[in-house]
Amino acid sequence: MKTLQDLQKLRDEAKKRVSMREGDVRYRVLVGMATCGIAAGARPVLNALVEACAKEHYDCTVTQTGCIGMCTYEPIVEVLDQDGKKTTYIHVDAKKAVEILESHVKNGILLEAYSLQ
Amino acid sequence: MERMHVLVCAGTGCTSSLSAQVVEQIQSELVKLNLQTEVKVIKTGCFGLCQKGPIVAIHPDRVFYCHVTPADAVEIVAEHIYKGRPVKRLELTDIDEVTKEKIFNIDEIKFYAKQQRIALKNCGVINPEDIDEYIAMEGYMALGKALTTMTPQEVIDEVKKSGLRGRGGGGFPTGAKWQFAANQPKGQKYVICNADEGDPGAFMDRSILEGDPHVVLESMAIAGYAIGANHGYVYIRAEYPIAVERLEIALKQARELGLLGNNIFSSGFDFDIEIRLGAGAFVCGEETALIQSIEGKRGMPRPKPPFPAVSGVWGKPTIINNVETFANVAPILRKGSEWFASIGTEKSKGTKVFALGGKISNTGLVEVPMGTTLREVIYEIGGGCPDNKNFKAVQTGGPSGGCLTEADLDTGIDFDNLVALGSMMGSGGMIVLDEDNCMVDVARFYMDFIVDESCGKCSPCRIGTKRMLEMLTDICEGRGTAETLFELERLAHKVKDTSLCGLGQTASNPVLSTLRLFKSEYDAHVFDKKCPAHVCKNLLTYSIVAEACRKCGLCARNCPTSAITGVLGKEVYVIDPAKCIRCGACMTACRFGAVLRG
Ligand SMILES: Cc1cc2nc3c(=O)[nH]c(=O)nc-3n(C[C@H](O)[C@H](O)[C@H](O)COP(=O)(O)O)c2cc1C
Ligand code: SF4
């Protein structure tokens, strides 16, 4: 490391790896991962979300939660914004999951086609 | 591809309560469920809540678990990490005072809500063995800023303006100390970090070094730049093996990245740091003794002046600062002196870390803004005395300090207030005493420590403290007279006024403070031959109340010296005071409360 810019670059890289500990992200993405969710295919959804986040650095965290109580709609993905407003997406698969990130988390546009009305 | 970080405290406190096994268990469970690539386990420094260790924190969920055993770890992985259902029974909670409901949100838990973390900011958040995580938290940016955009004098001015005062006990203004050293003629100079931490019951510095070693290294380099030194020493006791190991790792990583060594940030400034291990003598924390010890000599203080800033290690200008002092330097340079000066009281800026111990529910490490009241620290953060016992006093400043009582609880803590109340800030040990503590015994405890630790160079301290210990022992064992009390006080003042170094000069403080505040307890020992707190064994008497005795003989069977006689079912039992060793076994044994302690 020779200059302050080198350090800044290293910092920006390193920051991405610890940001989930700071709790000040725009969105929290929750995946229902109880028995019902896992049986309906929540695991590939979770994997897709985590992978996409690592690649694109969306301003969100991905967390798994327990049974949301609507087992017939699983896999379910919930997106919470900073004001606590919740959008519930149902019957999500890996492809839809990435679309949700791209549209809702990145551009702030709800994907009504996939959401619970 | 990480989606979750599991932070486990690997500080000394949690390590002794098996946190290493918890880490292993979590890791092997993760492997079983094939989660090891998406869930990362990080060993951090102290979270502060040592009483409730081992602590495990899960992010991004912000769930904190306490008292985690290896068996609990299996459940946490299976339930929380795999299925997303936090294990409520292990979660750190508080009780809401109004609704009486449990609070799970970590940001609302009182232990943390009242704290403000500057020196401990990264402790319990980053992996201290990974320089990248420190850098992610803006680490080494302050050094970069100083070297590339500020002159050494500007650095000193910034520290002066911040109002930072030494956290090692004296509270000397740090900027002024640096100026003093900077003003010495150019040439070889040194920076020393004092990590001796000999005060019994204190573990602030250890926790900073274990949790965030890089902040100390970065700040030492900044200090070196400010005063024109290119060599630093960390003087640390060998009894802190975890801290030493983390420091060594940190040094290696900083050198590899060129953040220590030659021509740092292409500024032409060179700086490197060496670790020196001390054998753990209290007196070696005193700066002139510490310098002797670094030079390989026996650690004995010498008269000042010359001050170390003029003639320190190897006779060269040297600044010595405490670990926590350094932990504030990098944040000050990064965020600016105004920010720092806006926290705290008029003459004591910033925060102070305290090691809360003794009769307190939440033993641990806390950092609060200067000016926070003792009541807030002891009751709101510390949770008060356990078992509904009555608070009696709080001891600050360790063997050099004094006691504060109920009447002082609403005073804001800062350097000057504590001195005005007859105690001192010291390095940050805060020992809470309740109704079961005997104040004479407390004074004797500290004097016993001092007698062991006096280096013996000057006679007031070497002989005087020994005599004081004898007098205190006499009082505790029932041999004290009015004259003992008089002589004790007289000698205490003499030792204070005539000792060579700070150790002897402050050794009398616990005695003088308890004599002033708890004279009635001393009087009870001397004149009534009673210890009101029932601590001093020689002054205790056990007897059996005849009316309450059911003649069951349980006491006699439990007495190790056969001091109790009676006839089962027929005659009341009696204790022979000549044979009684005051162990209290009878009192514990009796089911009818017939044994009386006086
Ligand atoms: C007997 C004695 C023990 C001391 N022990 C320590 C210690 O363990 N750690 C420490 O930082 N300062 C200790 N000091 C204070 C140091 O002499 C010195 O004042 C301090 O390290 C200066 O740093 P600061 O200005 O950053 O507080 C001790 C002083 C005395 C008299
Ligand atoms: S006061 Fe005590 S510790 Fe200090 S030089 Fe004298 S004998 Fe040594």
Side-chain angles (χ1 to χ4, degrees):
Chain A
M1 174 161 339
K2 283 278 146 254
T3 65
L4 194 54
Q5 285 73 35
D6 295 342
L7 181 65
Q8 281 160 346
K9 222 163 77 205
L10 190 61
R11 176 198 60 191
D12 294 341
E13 269 308 305
K15 248 200 167 92
K16 291 171 193 161
R17 276 182 277 136
V18 297
S19 64
M20 79 171 75
R21 290 177 221 166
E22 300 189 302
D24 56 347
V25 288
R26 261 213 3 250
Y27 292 101
R28 291 180 58 211
V29 178
L30 306 173
V31 187
M33 286 281 286
T35 308
C36 52
I38 294 173
R43 170 125 305 263
V45 172
L46 180 70
N47 288 351
L49 288 170
V50 171
E51 266 168 51
C53 281
K55 209 155 68 207
E56 303 291 333
H57 301 301
Y58 294 118
D59 193 3
C60 71
T61 59
V62 179
T63 317
Q64 72 296 46
T65 85
C67 178
I68 297 168
M70 299 181 291
C71 312
T72 51
Y73 293 122
E74 291 284 1
I76 295 178
V77 170
E78 293 179 318
V79 179
L80 272 95
D81 68 12
Q82 271 173 333
D83 307 324
K85 193 172 156 296
K86 185 160 77 181
T87 311
T88 305
Y89 293 103
I90 55 174
H91 297 309
V92 181
D93 59 23
K95 190 171 136 287
K96 287 182 188 170
V98 178
E99 284 175 53
I100 291 167
L101 286 179
E102 194 59 27
S103 167
H104 191 148
V105 173
K106 188 171 167 198
N107 301 322
I109 304 166
L110 251 80
L111 263 181
E112 286 187 15
Y114 302 156
S115 71
L116 184 72
Q117 300 298 324
Chain B
M1 245 55 75
E2 293 160 13
R3 66 171 170 89
M4 186 179 261
H5 286 182
V6 179
L7 275 52
V8 186
C9 177
T12 297
C14 287
T15 301
S16 64
S17 50
L18 302 184
S19 77
Q21 281 88 323
V22 171
V23 170
E24 273 173 35
Q25 192 72 48
I26 295 177
Q27 270 160 340
S28 70
E29 292 300 309
L30 287 176
V31 171
K32 274 189 214 158
L33 295 169
N34 198 23
L35 294 171
Q36 68 276 26
T37 48
E38 60 188 77
V39 179
K40 185 171 168 191
V41 183
I42 297 127
K43 288 192 262 181
T44 71
C46 184
F47 285 83
L49 252 181
C50 312
Q51 178 77 34
K52 300 198 158 52
I55 305 268
V56 174
I58 310 244
H59 292 293
D61 308 15
R62 293 180 74 70
V63 170
F64 279 55
Y65 292 119
C66 44
H67 295 307
V68 178
T69 62
D72 295 333
V74 179
E75 187 175 345
I76 290 174
V77 175
E79 282 296 304
H80 186 165
I81 299 181
Y82 188 60
K83 292 191 190 147
R85 291 194 289 237
V87 185
K88 290 277 179 217
R89 95 187 146 82
L90 296 170
E91 269 191 71
L92 180 65
T93 54
D94 235 342
I95 304 290
D96 188 297
E97 266 160 30
V98 189
T99 64
K100 303 284 171 218
E101 278 179 20
K102 273 193 177 175
I103 305 174
F104 286 98
N105 183 346
I106 194 67
D107 303 302
E108 287 171 22
I109 286 185
K110 266 187 260 131
F111 181 79
Y112 288 110
K114 280 262 163 188
Q115 297 195 46
Q116 180 175 6
R117 299 190 151 210
I118 299 173
L120 297 176
K121 179 176 157 276
N122 289 335
C123 287
V125 177
I126 64 168
N127 174 356
E129 298 184 4
D130 182 352
I131 192 170
D132 284 359
E133 296 208 351
Y134 179 64
I135 289 174
M137 300 294 176
E138 308 289 328
Y140 289 101
M141 292 303 279
L143 177 63
K145 179 176 166 190
L147 296 189
T148 57
T149 67
M150 296 167 88
T151 64
Q153 187 58 47
E154 281 169 350
V155 173
I156 295 176
D157 290 340
E158 193 69 4
V159 175
K160 275 189 196 164
K161 273 190 281 177
S162 75
L164 176 63
R165 294 169 64 171
R167 302 297 196 237
F172 191 80
T174 304
K177 186 186 276 187
W178 292 14
Q179 187 73 66
F180 204 25
N183 290 350
Q184 301 306 311
K186 276 204 169 58
Q188 186 69 57
K189 297 180 187 177
Y190 293 97
V191 174
I192 296 177
C193 172
N194 187 344
D196 189 60
E197 197 163 52
D199 176 351
F203 51 93
M204 299 77 51
D205 295 347
R206 186 191 74 206
S207 300
I208 293 173
L209 290 168
E210 286 177 354
D212 195 13
H214 283 287
V215 74
V216 174
L217 305 184
E218 178 182 6
S219 298
M220 286 177 74
I222 293 170
Y225 177 69
I227 68 160
N230 60 22
H231 199 90
Y233 293 101
V234 179
Y235 185 86
I236 180 168
R237 48 179 56 220
E239 287 128 318
Y240 282 180
I242 301 181
V244 172
E245 191 194 333
R246 303 234 166 106
L247 265 177
E248 280 167 353
I249 295 170
L251 272 176
K252 184 166 156 281
Q253 294 176 339
R255 285 189 196 121
E256 276 166 10
L257 285 182
L259 294 165
L260 286 177
N262 291 336
N263 198 16
I264 303 169
F265 290 116
S266 313
S267 64
F269 171 66
D270 307 333
F271 195 77
D272 210 345
I273 296 171
E274 244 180 90
I275 299 174
R276 287 294 166 103
L277 298 185
F282 182 52
V283 75
C284 285
E286 195 282 336
E287 52 194 21
T288 59
L290 186 153
I291 287 169
Q292 300 271 315
S293 177
I294 286 187
E295 290 174 351
K297 299 179 195 136
R298 180 171 164 188
M300 276 190 166
R302 62 156 176 77
K304 294 185 276 193
F307 287 96
V310 177
S311 173
V313 68
W314 318 113
K316 303 293 181 196
T318 303
I319 55 163
I320 300 195
N321 278 120
N322 168 258
V323 171
E324 189 187 332
T325 312
F326 278 122
N328 282 291
V329 167
I332 288 171
L333 282 210
R334 207 171 61 237
K335 298 188 171 182
S337 55
E338 273 171 33
W339 160 77
F340 191 80
S342 72
I343 303 162
T345 63
E346 194 194 336
K347 289 196 180 136
S348 303
K349 298 302 186 189
T351 57
K352 180 76 194 81
V353 182
F354 291 100
L356 264 184
K359 305 289 181 59
I360 185 112
S361 300
N362 299 332
T363 307
L365 205 62
V366 305
E367 179 170 359
V368 288
M370 297 273 191
T372 304
T373 65
L374 284 163
R375 189 182 298 282
E376 288 171 299
V377 172
I378 294 169
Y379 286 92
E380 297 190 23
I381 299 174
C385 302
D387 306 328
N388 288 326
K389 296 277 182 177
N390 288 321
F391 168 87
K392 189 186 240 175
V394 52
Q395 213 279 348
T396 65
S400 312
C403 291
L404 301 155
T405 59
E406 185 82 35
D408 307 321
L409 283 181
D410 291 307
T411 310
I413 305 167
D414 74 5
F415 288 105
D416 311 295
N417 281 349
L418 292 191
V419 171
L421 292 175
S423 184
M424 62 186 267
M425 181 82 85
S427 56
M430 203 180 257
I431 313 254
V432 178
L433 307 168
D434 71 6
E435 57 190 289
D436 292 341
N437 287 104
C438 164
M439 301 313 285
V440 187
D441 184 62
V442 167
R444 184 176 66 157
F445 167 83
Y446 283 114
M447 195 56 71
D448 192 38
F449 175 80
I450 289 290
V451 168
D452 272 350
E453 297 294 332
S454 165
C455 81
K457 181 165 174 167
C458 65
S459 24
C461 169
R462 183 183 67 242
I463 304 169
T465 58
K466 179 91 179 149
R467 286 290 96 85
M468 282 196 278
L469 177 62
E470 286 166 3
M471 290 183 213
L472 287 164
T473 308
D474 279 348
I475 296 173
C476 288
E477 295 183 353
R479 294 184 298 274
T481 62
E483 201 195 342
T484 321
L485 279 181
F486 175 78
E487 285 298 332
L488 177 65
E489 186 159 3
R490 205 172 65 103
L491 184 57
H493 284 292
K494 277 255 156 58
V495 171
K496 192 179 175 84
D497 295 340
T498 55
S499 289
L500 170 61
C501 85
L503 189 147
Q505 287 159 8
T506 59
S508 307
N509 287 355
V511 172
L512 290 170
S513 160
T514 49
L515 267 176
R516 192 165 49 80
L517 296 167
F518 298 97
K519 185 69 190 338
S520 64
E521 280 195 40
Y522 278 88
D523 287 346
H525 283 73
V526 170
F527 301 112
D528 310 338
K529 305 294 173 200
K530 288 273 173 237
C531 173
H534 306 304
V535 171
C536 299
K537 271 199 173 167
N538 281 27
L539 301 181
L540 292 182
T541 49
Y542 284 90
S543 55
I544 293 169
V545 185
E547 297 77 54
C549 177
R550 302 276 187 92
K551 308 172 187 128
C552 72
L554 208 54
C555 54
R557 260 186 283 147
N558 279 281
C559 177
T561 55
S562 309
I564 308 182
T565 47
V567 180
L568 187 65
K570 292 197 181 119
E571 263 173 50
V572 252
Y573 282 76
V574 253
I575 302 175
D576 176 359
K579 282 191 189 160
C580 173
I581 55 161
R582 301 165 187 93
C583 67
C586 50
M587 200 169 175
T588 323
C590 180
R591 297 203 205 118
F592 310 107
V595 179
L596 199 70
R597 187 174 64 183

